Amino acid sequence: MIRLEQVRFRYDESPYELRVPALAIEAGEKVAIVAPSGAGKTTLLHLIAGILVPQAGSVRVNGIELSALGDAARRDFRCEHVGLVFQTFELLEYLDVAENIRLPYLVNRRLRAKDPGEAAVRELAAQAGLGEKLRRGVERLSQGERQRVALCRALIARPALLLADEPTGSLDPATGRVALDLLLELARVHRSTLVAVTHDRGLLGAFDRTVDLAELSARGPA
Amino acid sequence: MGVLRLAWRYVAYQRLKTALLVASLALTVFLPLAVRALVNGYSERLLARARATPLAAGARGSRYDLILHALYFRGAVPRAMPLRDVKALEAQGLGAAIPLHARFKAQGFPVVGTSLEYFEFRGLRPAAGRLPLRLGDCVAGAEAARALGLRPDDRLLTDPENVLDLAGAYPLRMRVTGILAPNASPDDRAIFADLKTVWLIQGLGHGHQDVVEDGDPGVILKREGGTVVANAALPTCVEVTDANLASFHFHGDPEAFPVSAALLVPPDEKSGVLLRGRYEKHETVQVLPPEAVVEDLLGLVLRVKRFFDANFALVALAMALLLALVVSLSLRLRARERETLYKLGCSRGTVFGMLAGELLLVAAMSLALVALLAAAGAAFQDDLMRMLLP
């Protein structure tokens, strides 16, 4: 599903360089990525999502070499294959719950042609316990509910790959646990591969395996 | 479609910000247009009246005061000239002279003393009742009648010139004999009476009890031959009626009675030029072509308008800079939103298309508001014009 080889990435004017000699994640796996702050966890997710392109090495997802694609092609790839969950949810406050869930279809022309319609939104929202709140403005939701909306938005296009960046980072421990369980459950139901970055080592047991990015980088020069 | 929908949802969510932007933009566009339309309409109306009046005459003094008074019954009352000057003008044989005496008011509307020729000259005809024929009668312009709720056979009291001047002209209770049909001119807001009726208001004539036949002997101060002098206790009439009409009389030489202006109607252009030539060096009377004077006056208005134009240009520039500031601040505040949309698969072009859509919607709403204001302005244009006309 995901293959990274000899990947090197450095932001402009940054002294730190992310190095990933080799990383493989199989389809359907639920993988947690841990590392100290600033080690490049989010950057790694962005490389896998095709948001960033490495300066060296190869990133292949579903057999597609992302480094070889242009910006538009990587965007389309992202729309079709990747669902993204952000730490601070990044919902649009001027849209209601249903519109936020459906947002990928509203903003991507290619995806719009495959819009499953309101029924799919309702079904997914019901699975996430948001069935009664579809027309509610997101600013009137609790943090936990917002995270559930963000999960639904990531899953609406039925992506093969779900990338979650600190999905419980903005939630209290109890709510975070509930959100993670939902994330894992929805990933299972939708048969998505899940790669989640987390600080919370207490949650690692819920994943199939854990990748320590610091250890991974230290294995050898990329 | 998706992008426009998002743009609409954003501007709808940011109601206050959108409303402020729309109002600011709309006013920036509307105000210069409104001022231009008003100035143009104002100029056209002033000029139309001036073009319809070949010449105006009056005592020497301010030419603007004379024309504004003779044509629009507004502004300062020019110095009066004696009726004999009007007759002298007519005696030139170069056209009719229509006297006007518009010094007084009734319920705030100018009372214009004139002759029946004025109605013919201006094309005024009664929509109800008839023109004033008897001393003390008047006819009301359409709008004055509407404002005062006048109908034929009503009574209309003139305004005292100065309530503190006990020796001044007393109000006269006039009989309204007719209401003029509207003709979209200052005539609509005037009350017309015979010249003699206005002289009555001025106190040059009066009606009172016959001191010899019916009067209280106590009011007689002295008798000298056929002349009887009475004191102020002699009852005087405040209204002309059929019963007391005969008691009304004027003291003094009617040829010396005042008129505030005269309209001259030469039969052709040449007669007008001759008339102007003959009065060019006249010591007490001036003969003016209203169109030239009004154009001169409008030159002043247009100079003021140019100042407004420059002011509006600066305001528009300031508005554009403020808008640019608002947009740039908005872009900065929404940087994360743009980044999120990009990560979710939205192209950067589409993101900026969405922002452009928001601006377009604001612009469209501003234009709609401008159209609405323009429609309202058009509906109230006549009222505005009346407020503005001198």
Side-chain angles (χ1 to χ4, degrees):
Chain A
M1 174 74 187
I2 301 170
R3 294 280 183 276
L4 276 76
E5 289 171 7
Q6 305 298 321
V7 168
R8 296 170 72 158
F9 180 86
R10 184 201 297 268
Y11 285 103
D12 291 342
E13 298 173 14
S14 167
Y16 178 75
E17 183 178 66
L18 172 68
R19 295 178 180 193
V20 184
L23 174 64
I25 297 171
E26 300 306 323
E29 263 195 302
K30 313 287 181 277
V31 177
I33 294 176
V34 293
S37 290
K41 300 186 295 291
T42 299
T43 304
L44 177 63
L45 284 190
H46 285 183
L47 288 167
I48 296 171
I51 294 167
L52 296 173
V53 179
Q55 278 101 25
S58 161
V59 179
R60 296 179 76 83
V61 180
N62 264 1
I64 300 167
E65 175 56 60
L66 298 185
S67 315
L69 301 179
D71 185 61
R74 278 187 282 116
R75 220 171 39 239
D76 288 340
F77 158 82
R78 207 155 53 237
C79 281
E80 287 187 45
H81 298 95
V82 182
L84 287 164
V85 181
F86 307 99
Q87 180 180 354
T88 46
F89 324 136
E90 307 300 343
L91 303 176
L92 302 193
E93 61 182 2
Y94 50 88
L95 301 181
D96 62 25
V97 168
E99 288 166 325
N100 264 290
I101 293 174
R102 211 171 172 180
L103 188 60
Y105 291 102
L106 295 176
V107 297
N108 186 278
R109 195 172 295 169
R110 186 162 160 171
L111 206 56
R112 207 175 301 147
K114 301 173 185 172
D115 190 345
E118 197 69 22
V121 174
R122 271 201 300 274
E123 184 189 336
L124 190 57
Q127 286 173 12
L130 294 166
E132 303 299 313
K133 297 178 177 174
L134 282 175
R135 292 294 155 218
R136 189 171 288 188
V138 292
E139 79 277 9
R140 291 169 59 203
L141 299 179
S142 68
Q143 291 290 91
E145 287 171 329
R146 288 180 192 207
Q147 182 61 304
R148 278 185 269 158
V149 175
L151 283 179
C152 290
R153 183 180 66 189
L155 285 163
I156 187 69
R158 310 266 171 187
L161 175 60
L162 202 52
L163 300 175
D165 188 359
E166 301 276 7
T168 60
S170 297
L171 304 174
D172 62 75
T175 313
R177 184 72 224 188
V178 172
L180 181 66
D181 288 345
L182 180 65
L183 175 65
L184 291 163
E185 172 63 12
L186 288 176
R188 188 189 62 73
V189 169
H190 292 271
R191 294 176 187 162
S192 301
T193 304
L194 173 64
V195 180
V197 161
T198 182
H199 264 114
D200 190 346
R201 291 191 175 265
L203 299 175
L204 299 182
F207 291 88
D208 297 337
R209 69 183 167 109
T210 301
V211 173
D212 188 323
L213 192 55
E215 274 180 23
L216 189 68
S217 299
R219 273 182 202 163
Chain B
M1 187 62 192
V3 169
L4 263 185
R5 179 176 165 183
L6 286 178
W8 168 248
R9 297 287 281 136
Y10 180 80
V11 296
Y13 181 78
Q14 299 284 355
R15 284 186 204 94
L16 184 62
K17 181 179 139 187
T18 303
L20 286 173
L21 272 175
V22 166
S24 309
L25 273 174
L27 285 177
T28 307
V29 174
F30 174 73
L31 283 178
L33 291 177
V35 167
R36 177 178 288 253
L38 270 180
V39 168
N40 288 346
Y42 174 79
S43 306
E44 279 168 22
R45 287 190 184 209
L46 280 179
L47 275 171
R49 181 82 163 175
R51 286 183 185 128
T53 312
L55 291 170
R60 285 216 172 265
S62 165
R63 48 210 292 267
Y64 297 132
D65 282 352
L66 175 60
I67 294 300
L68 292 179
H69 177 82
L71 270 64
Y72 312 103
F73 317 129
R74 296 278 188 107
V77 179
R79 204 153 51 83
M81 64 178 174
L83 182 64
R84 75 167 62 88
D85 283 349
V86 180
K87 293 203 167 171
L89 279 161
E90 197 158 47
Q92 300 290 324
L94 295 169
I98 303 168
L100 295 171
H101 195 37
R103 178 176 155 181
F104 302 97
K105 293 194 169 183
Q107 312 295 312
F109 292 92
V111 177
V112 182
T114 186
S115 60
L116 289 175
E117 285 78 19
Y118 183 83
F119 301 99
E120 192 181 334
F121 171 65
R122 292 288 189 211
L124 299 172
R125 54 173 186 77
R130 57 173 174 77
L131 293 175
L133 298 172
R134 196 197 67 185
L135 189 69
D137 284 355
C138 71
V139 64
E143 208 180 308
R146 185 181 54 78
L148 299 175
L150 294 176
R151 283 181 300 187
D153 216 33
D154 279 350
R155 298 294 185 268
L156 177 63
L157 200 63
T158 62
D159 300 341
E161 266 194 306
N162 184 347
V163 289
L164 300 175
D165 181 8
L166 295 176
Y170 285 90
L172 179 70
R173 208 160 165 249
M174 296 188 292
R175 181 176 68 172
V176 179
T177 59
I179 309 298
L180 295 174
N183 76 338
S185 78
D187 297 326
D188 288 347
R189 289 180 60 80
I191 309 291
F192 295 94
D194 182 70
L195 207 49
K196 285 182 179 171
T197 303
V198 177
W199 287 335
L200 270 188
I201 300 168
Q202 195 164 350
L204 299 172
H206 55 204
H208 53 72
Q209 196 177 50
D210 186 333
V211 286
V212 180
E213 297 290 328
D214 315 315
D216 174 4
V219 302
I220 297 173
L221 290 176
K222 61 177 179 179
R223 294 173 190 265
E224 283 180 4
T227 307
V228 178
V229 180
N231 66 20
L234 179 72
T236 55
C237 310
V238 294
E239 181 181 351
V240 181
T241 62
D242 291 335
N244 68 14
L245 177 63
S247 77
F248 277 84
H249 54 277
F250 292 86
H251 295 277
D253 175 13
E255 297 274 299
F257 284 177
V259 295
S260 48
L263 302 183
L264 308 176
V265 193
D268 49 48
E269 201 175 332
K270 183 182 168 189
S271 303
V273 172
L274 282 172
L275 202 51
R276 284 184 64 197
R278 286 182 193 176
Y279 274 81
E280 197 173 357
K281 305 271 186 194
H282 197 278
E283 280 184 12
T284 56
V285 176
Q286 57 178 340
V287 175
L288 300 170
E291 187 177 352
V293 176
V294 170
E295 276 176 353
D296 200 19
L297 191 66
L298 285 175
L300 292 172
V301 175
L302 291 176
R303 271 201 288 280
V304 174
K305 183 182 164 286
R306 275 198 287 276
F307 166 77
F308 274 109
D309 284 346
N311 190 35
F312 284 133
L314 287 175
V315 170
L317 179 67
M319 183 62 209
L321 291 173
L322 270 176
L323 191 65
L325 180 69
V326 168
V327 170
S328 69
L329 284 175
S330 179
L331 284 176
R332 184 174 294 187
L333 281 171
R334 297 172 70 192
R336 276 181 68 164
E337 178 191 331
R338 291 201 309 278
E339 203 50 38
T340 301
L341 287 170
Y342 173 71
K343 287 174 183 174
L344 290 176
C346 185
S347 71
R348 299 209 187 270
T350 306
V351 172
F352 283 99
M354 192 177 114
L355 296 173
E358 289 166 13
L359 286 176
L360 270 177
L361 284 171
V362 168
M365 283 190 273
S366 302
L367 285 177
L369 185 56
V370 167
L372 207 66
L373 289 171
F380 293 104
Q381 192 178 15
D382 284 347
D383 293 330
L384 283 170
M385 287 294 167
R386 271 193 295 277
M387 283 164 59
L388 285 172
L389 277 171

